[in-house]
Amino acid sequence: MSPCSQGDPFGLQQLHQPPGPPKRNRKELDEGELVAENVLAKVTLQELHRERDRMVLSDVQTPDEISSSFISSVFASRYVQDPLPRYRMPENSIPKEVAYQIIHDELQLDGNPRLNLASFVTTWMEPECDKLMIESMSKNYVDMDEYPITTELQVCWEKFARYFDVELKEVKLSEGYYVMDPKKAVEMVDENTICVAAILGSTLTGEFEDVKLLNDLLSEKNKKTGWETPIHVDAASGGFVAPFLYPELEWDFRLPLVKSINVSGHKYGLVYAGIGWVIWRSKEDLPEELIFHINYLGADQPTFTLNFSKGSSQIVAQYYQFLRMGMEGYKKVITNCMESAKLLQKGLENTGQFEIISKDQGVPLVAFTMKNKSKTFPFQLSKALRHHGWIVPAYTMPANVEHMTVLRVVVREDLGRNLVEKLVSHIKGAMFELENAPSGIPRIAFTVEVKSSDDYGSGDKGGVLHIPATSIQWKQHKPETVGKEVQVMGGVVERSLVLLNGAWLC
């Protein structure tokens, strides 16, 4: 009995597919043809009965008919015809209902967390707490009010060096060149260098470092010295950008010295904070001594991360995005982000007051400095934009270019054209207000000595109220000072009056 024999309301058994090309040996078929071979029926209800609901049906394959390299649909087969690749991102997007149904069906194979008696991890919380967690999932805990970046290397590298007692060698930046210079980096490599880290998407400007040139120069040095210094690519920001905007750019495992790559799924991977990935070229590139094996949960659990237990929600969300978006969807989203970034850049340039330092090839980000302004003015602008709800960080650049103060806007999927135009409008308004604001009145701190009236006759000691001199925020000159005594609550207050700019201040 065929899979479609039971319950055939539309007479599908009477339909047949047109004859295809002659059968070939299975080994002669490529991966795409194997997919087509496994799809036995592709018949839409629109072809059967136009007044019925549209629904795509597919046959259920037996285990020997379908490769383990593909994800077979269960209830999602109501909507899709072809199985999806299991180990690579699909080329095309699929409906959100399909992505949900496929993953929901797969998760049915998981055990019930409430019945997992091996775990110490909490498996139930009150629904109100679940709701609060959902409401706060889009907020990143480590985001501070300001972004005091003081080094070109990202924070994770500083942590790595400190935790594992590794000496960091930093390539200093130079005017107009705000990423690592591969030539200078290779010059710093010695026999003790464990790797050279290239950043695909600078924290400061979003620019991609030249991994291809680094690979070529380092290969030459390795041949001369006999060393085998590898490259690690920190693609936290650019790993989900370059493949879709610059597919011809060589920065990944196409380069022989690139042994490992890390990427953040919670950035342009389009998942809430808490998910990141690291990939090695081969199993041999991850030393076995760095992997720890435990079995107290009931089976062998290899781990090499600093933490162990972690929630699965972000991993499930990343899996959903892979299936839902596909190469097609990610390309559309990242392309739209880049178009919004170009629109913002144009709006800033049209004001004539900003210099753009971010490059065309990089992550969707606009980094800019201010023309003919003080070093502190960008911080004032950043603060002024907060009154409109915008968080636009201002920060000083690292060593060698520390005279520069930069503002940075990271363009995400949710920053569309309308918001970009509103941001430019608010920046113009804030600039006008700052430039036309009246000069501030100087703050003056002084010491006030409070004495009891009895001090003048009985010799009793009174209290003293003292304001520290460190609170003085004005340049001291030699103001005219007049002492005066006034009667306050039965006591005497001695205070100083200071003549400043023709006005008496106390």
Side-chain angles (χ1 to χ4, degrees):
M1 180 180 293
S2 69
C4 292
S5 296
Q6 296 178 336
D8 191 18
F10 302 114
L12 296 181
Q13 290 177 318
Q14 299 177 10
L15 299 176
H16 65 275
Q17 291 182 316
K23 277 279 187 177
R24 287 184 286 164
N25 186 290
R26 196 171 183 83
K27 293 182 179 179
E28 298 175 353
L29 301 178
D30 60 21
E31 186 177 67
E33 290 173 307
L34 283 173
V35 176
E37 184 192 63
N38 286 322
V39 180
L40 303 180
K42 298 182 179 179
V43 184
T44 64
L45 290 183
Q46 186 179 21
E47 297 169 337
L48 300 174
H49 211 294
R50 292 185 179 276
E51 65 269 18
R52 305 286 179 106
D53 293 333
R54 292 189 62 183
M55 184 180 293
V56 179
L57 305 179
S58 64
D59 288 345
V60 178
Q61 283 88 60
T62 58
D64 60 338
E65 290 177 319
I66 188 167
S67 168
S68 62
S69 296
F70 301 98
I71 301 170
S72 60
S73 304
V74 183
F75 296 109
S77 63
R78 294 168 177 253
Y79 315 104
V80 295
Q81 295 173 297
D82 299 336
L84 298 173
R86 184 181 298 275
Y87 301 117
R88 61 179 176 83
M89 189 182 296
E91 291 296 327
N92 301 318
S93 302
I94 62 175
K96 57 182 182 294
E97 297 86 358
V98 175
Y100 168 81
Q101 191 65 58
I102 289 175
I103 300 175
H104 178 78
D105 292 344
E106 287 194 294
L107 292 178
Q108 296 300 309
L109 300 177
D110 279 346
N112 185 339
R114 293 279 301 279
L115 303 182
N116 179 9
L117 306 184
S119 176
F120 292 93
V121 177
T122 299
T123 56
W124 182 89
M125 298 180 71
E126 292 179 330
E128 290 75 13
C129 189
D130 292 346
K131 184 178 179 181
L132 287 173
M133 292 181 69
I134 293 174
E135 292 173 352
S136 61
M137 284 181 67
S138 62
K139 298 179 181 179
N140 187 0
Y141 172 73
V142 300
D143 271 353
M144 304 300 179
D145 289 341
E146 298 178 359
Y147 293 74
I149 300 174
T150 58
T151 176
E152 166 63 8
L153 292 178
Q154 298 183 13
V155 175
C156 62
W157 286 104
E158 294 181 343
K159 290 182 178 179
F160 163 76
R162 187 173 302 176
Y163 294 163
F164 293 95
D165 194 22
V166 174
E167 177 190 3
L168 278 180
K169 293 185 178 181
E170 302 179 35
V171 179
K172 303 300 182 183
L173 307 185
S174 58
E175 190 74 34
Y177 197 84
Y178 307 118
V179 292
M180 177 184 68
D181 185 340
K183 295 181 180 179
K184 295 180 180 179
V186 173
E187 290 174 357
M188 299 171 69
V189 172
D190 58 29
E191 66 276 9
N192 296 318
T193 303
I194 59 175
C195 78
V196 179
I199 297 178
L200 198 76
S202 164
T203 304
L204 301 174
T205 64
E207 185 179 353
F208 292 165
E209 295 182 342
D210 194 338
V211 187
K212 176 66 166 59
L213 178 58
L214 176 64
N215 177 87
D216 295 343
L217 295 176
L218 190 55
S219 295
E220 294 179 5
K221 185 160 189 174
N222 284 345
K223 289 179 181 178
K224 293 179 182 179
T225 60
W227 302 336
E228 297 180 352
T229 307
I231 296 174
H232 172 82
V233 179
D234 184 349
S237 299
F240 277 99
V241 174
F244 309 106
L245 292 186
Y246 321 104
E248 303 302 321
L249 180 66
E250 296 183 43
W251 62 273
D252 46 22
F253 293 132
R254 285 171 286 182
L255 303 175
L257 289 184
V258 175
K259 302 298 183 181
S260 54
I261 299 171
N262 74 276
V263 60
S264 294
H266 58 222
K267 294 182 179 177
Y268 289 101
L270 308 181
V271 178
Y272 289 143
I275 184 68
W277 308 95
V278 60
I279 307 171
W280 281 267
R281 173 184 288 271
S282 66
K283 185 177 180 180
E284 290 71 24
D285 293 318
L286 177 59
E288 181 64 29
E289 56 266 25
L290 292 182
I291 303 177
F292 296 86
H293 296 265
I294 63 171
N295 63 2
Y296 65 80
L297 294 179
D300 179 62
Q301 298 282 339
T303 177
F304 58 88
T305 58
L306 293 180
N307 62 335
F308 186 58
S309 298
K310 50 186 173 290
S312 63
S313 58
Q314 284 87 359
I315 299 175
V316 173
Q318 185 75 85
Y319 185 29
Y320 170 88
Q321 293 288 41
F322 285 168
L323 292 184
R324 165 81 171 108
M325 305 290 290
M327 297 289 290
E328 173 192 16
Y330 271 101
K331 182 176 182 179
K332 289 180 178 179
V333 169
I334 302 303
T335 299
N336 287 338
C337 289
M338 189 57 74
E339 291 301 318
S340 295
K342 292 178 180 178
L343 179 65
L344 174 59
Q345 177 176 331
K346 184 177 179 181
L348 294 174
E349 290 175 333
N350 289 342
T351 66
Q353 301 195 62
F354 301 102
E355 177 185 352
I356 308 299
I357 65 171
S358 49
K359 306 299 181 183
D360 293 336
Q361 189 176 80
V363 300
L365 180 157
V366 181
F368 53 100
T369 59
M370 312 190 71
K371 298 179 181 178
N372 306 319
K373 299 294 181 183
S374 67
K375 188 176 179 180
T376 60
F377 194 90
F379 293 100
Q380 298 172 0
L381 177 59
S382 175
K383 184 177 180 179
L385 289 174
R386 283 183 174 270
H387 297 302
H388 299 284
W390 300 105
I391 302 177
V392 179
Y395 50 89
T396 55
M397 294 288 274
N400 288 9
V401 286
E402 63 271 10
H403 61 281
M404 294 179 58
T405 306
V406 176
L407 291 137
R408 184 193 67 201
V409 174
V410 178
V411 179
R412 300 186 305 273
E413 181 184 9
D414 52 358
L415 186 67
R417 181 184 182 92
N418 292 338
L419 283 179
V420 168
E421 293 174 347
K422 187 173 292 291
L423 172 60
V424 173
S425 174
H426 286 162
I427 289 176
K428 292 179 180 178
M431 289 282 292
F432 178 82
E433 292 177 0
L434 290 173
E435 291 172 343
N436 294 278
S439 58
I441 300 175
R443 296 176 59 189
I444 301 176
F446 56 91
T447 300
V448 178
E449 187 175 1
V450 181
K451 296 182 179 179
S452 170
S453 58
D454 296 337
D455 291 346
Y456 293 94
S458 62
D460 294 337
K461 295 181 179 180
V464 177
L465 173 64
H466 179 67
I467 302 177
T470 55
S471 64
I472 298 176
Q473 301 180 17
W474 62 298
K475 187 175 182 180
Q476 300 186 45
H477 296 287
K478 294 182 179 180
E480 180 179 353
T481 303
V482 177
K484 187 176 181 181
E485 293 184 0
V486 294
Q487 190 79 18
V488 178
M489 297 294 291
V492 177
V493 175
E494 292 186 357
R495 62 179 179 176
S496 298
L497 300 180
V498 181
L499 179 63
L500 183 63
N501 295 330
W504 290 98
L505 301 176
C506 60

